[in-house]
Amino acid sequence: MPNMKVTVDTILSLSESDGVDELQKHLTLLSDDQLTTMLTNSAVKGKDAGVLIKAIFKGSPVSVSHGANRRLLVYKHCIPLCESGDLQTEVTSDIIGLLMLETHSLPGHALATLASLYVDAIKLGEMNSGRSLELFPTILTALAATEALAYGKGELSGDEYKKQLINSLCSSRWDPQCVIHLTTMFRDVPLSAEELQFLIEKILRMFLKLDLQEIPPLVYQLLLLTAKGCKKLVLEGIISYFKKQDQLQKEEQRNGESEDVEVQTILQDQLRHVEGTVILHIVFAIRLDHELGREFFKNLKAAQSDPLCPFSIALLLSVARIQRFEEQVFEFLKGAITKNFKDDQIQHSSKFLQELLPQFNSISNMILDTVKNSVFGWDHVTQGLVQLGFILMDSFGPKAGAFGKVTEGASSTAKTPNQLACRLGGQVLLESFKMHEPIRGEILEQVLNRLVTKTASPVTHFIDLLSSIVMSAPMILLESSSKVTETFDQLSYLPLSTVEGLLKAVQPLLKASMSMKDALILVLRKAMFSSNLDGRKSAVAGFLLLLKNFRILGSLASSQASQAITSSQVQADVHSRYNTAANEAFCLEILSSLRRCLNQQADVRLMLYEGFHDVLRRNSQLASSIMQTLLSQLKRYFEPEQDLLPPLKLESCISAHGDQVFIQEPLAHLLCCTVHCLLWNQNIRSGGNVSNDEDDEDEEGGVQSELHTILESITKRMIKSELEDFELDKCAEFSTSSSVGVKNSIYAVLVMGLNEVLMEYNFITANYSKNHFEDVLELFKRYHKVSEILKERAGKGRPTSSKTSRSLLSLGFISTLLTALFSGDFLRYSVSVALQKIQQLEETGHTDGPEGQSPDKTFCHLCDITSVLMWRYTNVPSTVEDAGKKEKGQSVSLLCLEGLLRVFTTVLQRFPTRMSNFLSSLDVSGEGEAEGEGSDLTEQTAFYIRQFQRALMNQLSGGEEGFNSKEAQLLVSILSILSRQHNPSSQQFVQMITWTVKICKETNFEDISLTKGLLSLLFNMHVLYKSPVSLLWEMCQDIHSQLGDIDQDVEVEKQSHFAIISMKTAASTTLLVLSQVGKVLDEVDWLIAKKKGQIGSDRTISGNTQQPLGQQDPIEKAVTIQLGTLLTALHELVQTALPTGPCTDTLMRELSRTYSILTTLTKYYIQLCATQPGQLSARLEKLVKLSGSHLTPQCYCFITYVQSGELTAGGPEKLKKKKKEDEAVAAASAKVLRESKAIPNLIFNIEQYEKFLILLSKKSKVNLMQYMKLSTSRDFRINAATLEAALQEQEQQRDESQQTEDSQVSEENQAPKKKRRKQ
């Protein structure tokens, strides 16, 4: 051992004292083993290892063979020594650094040996620590620089030798543990583009063999490697890996614990944390290298077929934090979301497409999955989610239509892509709010800001979101109560609908927070005295809401009260100490504030009257105060003297300002509110449900009896009163242009309203007393009289306020009244009021009067009304009833039918989930023939469809005399609505289609409206059953047969597939057929776009994917067949002598689109030939032949026909008067302008199609142009027959003018000048 130590010291001392020769001699004396042992000992001790290696290199010149060999020996020994892990890190770094410095001085064969050593070690999995791999790139670089190396029996250049090594390395099996080290190492290796792609594909394949925890560092190294290129490949690989992992994890979760031992169980939280880290790495890389970001977007846009998954959405939202990509990210996501919803809608609306393509992945589910995943610490994604949610709600929320009307329905029944996108935005925000505490404040603030600032557009979607947030986490919201109270300060400036929605949404918070409630009351009190009318109305709405929801102990829990918005998380029990004592005082205080409204404008009072009944039903302990208030208000207008007529002072109800007269007290509404509150209170008291103090009860009983007395007095005196008592007369003026007319109109409407309210009061309190029913009829006579006068006299000057002219009968009363009545004008009036109520329900979701706001009650009344309408329509034939009553307008049967149509529409729109309950309640047979509760919706719907089919058959079989076009149209509309309830795959749906086809084939009524209705019904159903192209072809043949050919010499073969198509209905049928052709073309266009997208994505992902020859893609086959049948149908129409105008214009447009889509298809095949060279399908050749030899020549003939048709139509006009001539010229020039676009567009599209066919012929080596006939030169044409006819006509005119020359000399002198000037 001491001997050895001396040797090391000797070597070191010789190295320091420039004795190179001595050093060489000394090293020569050492054997290889001694040298390696010396190196090992020095390295392990961590002492002088680097200095020793330097000394050995100094004494081993490369020029001498033994020197070079000694150097190689040092390298061979040090590499595994460093890899072993026995040395300290500093020593290893020192040794590798020294070796790297000397690498370039090694001879070629030594470099080749070392490189092979590395490759073999990697193959055997001996490079797991990766410490010595830093040296490998230096060796490869030096190797590439050498000129020639022995390889097998020959020689290779150093660069080629390096390529062989890399190929061998990437083709071999890698130990998973060394993948990260190798990836790091390859960053320093110079690689060609092909080598880099090969390497990256190898690394991406290794992902599946690694533990999840090893993925983030590998991704980091891969991203650094993208500096060399292949950015797109790396991003694609990472995204597809995580997409697969997500799918596996979902499947495992779905199947419970996986029994398959080979499948690695994926822990969800581990996967999510790894995904989060990888996303951070990618975003960091994109920040440093914007080219990587651009590649990312390019890749997403190119892969149209299936671009997104929860991971890529999360990645996109994180990238959105980089400012330059923010706008791009959200625009892309908006586009992708709407495209997904549109595609889904297109596919669902066509059976043809459903059979061709699989169901799309729902992007909304992916985004909601991203929200769920973000709970695993993805703070970098949450901000993007919030932005996305608000962008979707802002971009796709309901828009304000004309007069501020909301154009789109509620989000619960979202149907259009825009509505679905808006709803998705709301779901994203709600789920994000629930899961992430840090962003709650921001979400709440942004929602409230939008409620305050978006006053011009509807904010119902934001109110729904706020309501959902309150319901899901009210206690969390209390922490942000200051934000809500700040919003309260703006209440008086907001639209009434927004105020009502906002207060309903935050109502649960008011119960839990006294400070918030007090802040609201303060704001409402101020608003009560606002100069702005809407502000005062908002105050009333707010106070009424508070009265409904702060119930006093002992109040009856009515069915409506159970509708109150409550939440299990709001612990605000009505029986707690604060509530019992404070609620009553609080409510009475609000009532005293509301009494001040009784001196304000009519609109404010009206709100109060409409709200009192709901308050009473929810808070019955307030009955005494409310009844007292109503009594004192009514007494202001009641005439106590029993002998005086009329019983009410109408002059006190109007007011004047300047020359304007307006209503001050909506007296009918006051009386209506009083009657409803009185009747409800009476029912409750008689039921004995409410215990109360005796004094209160006596006082209340006194108020009730006084009100009954007043109402009876008003009834008796109203019946005795004549029109003159109200200062009304048959001949009086009722126009709105003068103050007298306005005053009379207000009086008339008030009188009608009062009569209506009294009718309802007397009918309900009658208790089957004959006298009371006589009073009701007398009141109706008075009502009817005023109503008829208004109809006769008002004309266009009807009162503008829709509220005053709306019927004051309640929905519940109407359903009772309809059941009780069977004939007369009273029935017609009742049905028309029912129709008005149903229409209001359809438009707004609620009706006036008590119970109008409660969906459950409304639904029950709707069921009752529908039963009566159904019974009345099915049991009293309209033909019997209409005898002798034609002059009175619509019959009751027609009104009933119109009502049924509106009811079915309303139920589907407002109560879609309760359709089965609704149909069960309409047992029109009375014997249970209508399927009972137990039967399913399909059977119930089928039963009612049969009822209406029978009615339509009766109409059609009754001959011309008994046929009522309006009734037939209503029946078809109802059948159309009910048929949508059937599942397209059900037997009932097929029966319905068969029946409709049969009707269309056999019905020959020449009624245009009925034809349109039946054919629309047929098309709408047929498209859900199978493609309608063959149907369209048959119809085109019928139209051609009916209207004749454009060439008058050709006799068309008489065909009649559908009797409904006649000479009279052919033109309107053509427009319907063409609109359906347009829809089929849309589908075909959509399919071609999908296929083009697939070509692009297939090429980017997997290179060329060859399809076996002779086997056509099913989508291509379907597209070709669809277009082939359409071309045959259009070939029939193009030869038809259609009337010039809308028919010819529409046909021109659809022909242009057809050629445009044929061009798109041709371009698709050109693209396909570039990626998959092969034989074109025979079907495509047939399609080209059909278009070229059949359709195109006929198109040119059709253009000539259209133009000649215009000329002949315009010819005789010249002989008419000057004025008519000018009109004809104007009409003709407008038509020419229209045609000037249609005809050139068509010709251009034909020529474009032919141009691309030439290109396809060259690419595919198939002569497709052999089927094309030379297109007509249209610049200059002389039709000999037309020219001869024109010359003959000119001769005749000249002869006539010669005969009349003597009598019209002066005129004749002027006429030719005019003609010459025109020419």
Side-chain angles (χ1 to χ4, degrees), residues 694-708:
E694 281 186 25
D695 294 348
D696 284 359
E697 210 164 291
D698 291 346
E699 185 191 331
E700 209 170 301
V703 171
Q704 280 194 39
S705 60
E706 189 174 350
L707 277 171
H708 277 303

Side-chain angles (χ1 to χ4, degrees), residues 687-745:
N689 290 322
V690 179
S691 57
N692 218 340
D693 294 343
E694 281 186 25
D695 294 348
D696 284 359
E697 210 164 291
D698 291 346
E699 185 191 331
E700 209 170 301
V703 171
Q704 280 194 39
S705 60
E706 189 174 350
L707 277 171
H708 277 303
T709 310
I710 288 175
L711 287 167
E712 280 166 20
S713 168
I714 294 174
T715 302
K716 294 282 181 277
R717 288 148 73 192
M718 282 295 279
I719 291 169
K720 288 178 188 171
S721 301
E722 294 297 329
L723 287 177
E724 288 75 14
D725 295 322
F726 298 106
E727 299 176 22
L728 293 173
D729 190 84
K730 279 185 181 180
C731 304
E733 186 186 354
F734 290 96
S735 70
T736 49
S737 53
S738 69
S739 58
V740 175
V742 171
K743 180 191 154 191
N744 287 340
S745 294

Side-chain angles (χ1 to χ4, degrees), residues 423-443:
R423 187 170 71 178
L424 174 62
Q427 288 171 318
V428 167
L429 290 170
L430 178 60
E431 293 303 316
S432 302
F433 185 90
K434 288 179 187 174
M435 289 179 181
H436 300 286
E437 193 177 340
I439 56 172
R440 283 174 185 157
E442 187 192 342
I443 291 177

Side-chain angles (χ1 to χ4, degrees), residues 397-424:
K399 303 286 182 279
F403 311 111
K405 228 177 144 185
V406 181
T407 53
E408 290 176 9
S411 61
S412 57
T413 55
K415 284 178 186 162
T416 66
N418 281 9
Q419 287 172 331
L420 290 166
C422 176
R423 187 170 71 178
L424 174 62

Side-chain angles (χ1 to χ4, degrees), residues 732-982:
E733 186 186 354
F734 290 96
S735 70
T736 49
S737 53
S738 69
S739 58
V740 175
V742 171
K743 180 191 154 191
N744 287 340
S745 294
I746 292 172
Y747 275 9
V749 170
L750 283 176
V751 170
M752 284 162 68
L754 291 167
N755 278 315
E756 282 190 314
V757 174
L758 292 170
M759 275 192 276
E760 182 163 350
Y761 169 73
N762 282 285
F763 191 94
I764 290 170
T765 55
N767 199 15
Y768 299 102
S769 147
K770 184 186 171 189
N771 292 344
H772 273 292
F773 284 139
E774 282 173 357
D775 288 349
V776 170
L777 291 172
E778 285 298 324
L779 286 165
F780 172 68
K781 281 180 189 169
R782 304 287 179 279
Y783 169 89
H784 193 59
K785 206 171 189 179
V786 181
S787 160
E788 289 299 310
I789 292 173
L790 268 185
K791 276 181 195 167
E792 284 171 28
R793 302 290 299 159
K796 291 181 182 176
R798 300 185 85 171
T800 52
S801 169
S802 60
K803 277 192 175 139
T804 49
S805 58
R806 203 178 266 162
S807 172
L808 290 180
L809 301 186
S810 66
L811 192 64
F813 174 60
I814 279 296
S815 70
T816 312
L817 188 62
L818 278 175
T819 316
L821 293 176
F822 301 110
S823 63
D825 285 334
F826 201 12
L827 176 61
R828 179 194 299 276
Y829 157 73
S830 307
V831 175
S832 59
V833 172
L835 239 73
Q836 188 194 81
K837 296 285 176 191
I838 295 163
Q839 185 173 358
Q840 189 188 358
L841 185 64
E842 183 187 347
E843 289 170 2
T844 63
H846 53 79
T847 62
D848 297 333
E851 302 177 346
Q853 302 287 335
S854 159
D856 289 340
K857 292 281 183 187
T858 309
F859 181 73
C860 292
H861 293 320
L862 209 53
C863 291
D864 295 343
I865 289 174
T866 314
S867 294
V868 178
L869 295 179
M870 194 77 190
W871 184 92
R872 180 69 178 64
Y873 179 73
T874 48
N875 287 293
V876 182
S878 54
T879 45
V880 174
E881 179 220 356
D882 285 349
K885 291 191 181 179
K886 294 283 181 189
E887 73 283 354
K888 288 197 175 181
Q890 276 195 330
S891 67
V892 175
S893 273
L894 266 184
L895 281 172
C896 287
L897 198 56
E898 199 176 320
L900 287 168
L901 174 59
R902 283 197 177 282
V903 168
F904 285 126
T905 313
T906 306
V907 172
L908 277 176
Q909 188 182 331
R910 299 284 170 185
F911 309 99
T913 54
R914 300 172 73 175
M915 191 68 182
S916 185
N917 300 350
F918 173 71
L919 293 177
S920 302
S921 67
L922 315 180
D923 188 359
V924 293
S925 61
E927 299 165 8
E929 189 195 334
E931 316 298 331
E933 289 281 352
S935 65
D936 66 349
L937 180 59
T938 309
E939 283 302 320
Q940 292 168 346
T941 311
F943 172 78
Y944 288 102
I945 283 178
R946 286 197 296 276
Q947 296 276 326
F948 292 113
Q949 281 176 337
R950 205 172 297 141
L952 184 59
M953 290 301 288
N954 290 341
Q955 275 288 319
L956 298 175
S957 58
E960 298 276 345
E961 300 77 26
F963 178 71
N964 183 324
S965 175
K966 173 80 174 162
E967 187 171 344
Q969 286 169 53
L970 286 169
L971 284 166
V972 171
S973 301
I974 292 174
L975 285 169
S976 179
I977 287 171
L978 288 176
S979 65
R980 288 179 215 150
Q981 291 303 296
H982 279 323

Side-chain angles (χ1 to χ4, degrees), residues 1052-1064:
V1052 185
E1053 182 189 345
K1054 282 288 172 194
Q1055 288 185 330
S1056 182
H1057 300 95
F1058 293 90
I1060 202 165
I1061 300 173
S1062 61
M1063 277 291 285
K1064 188 177 175 184

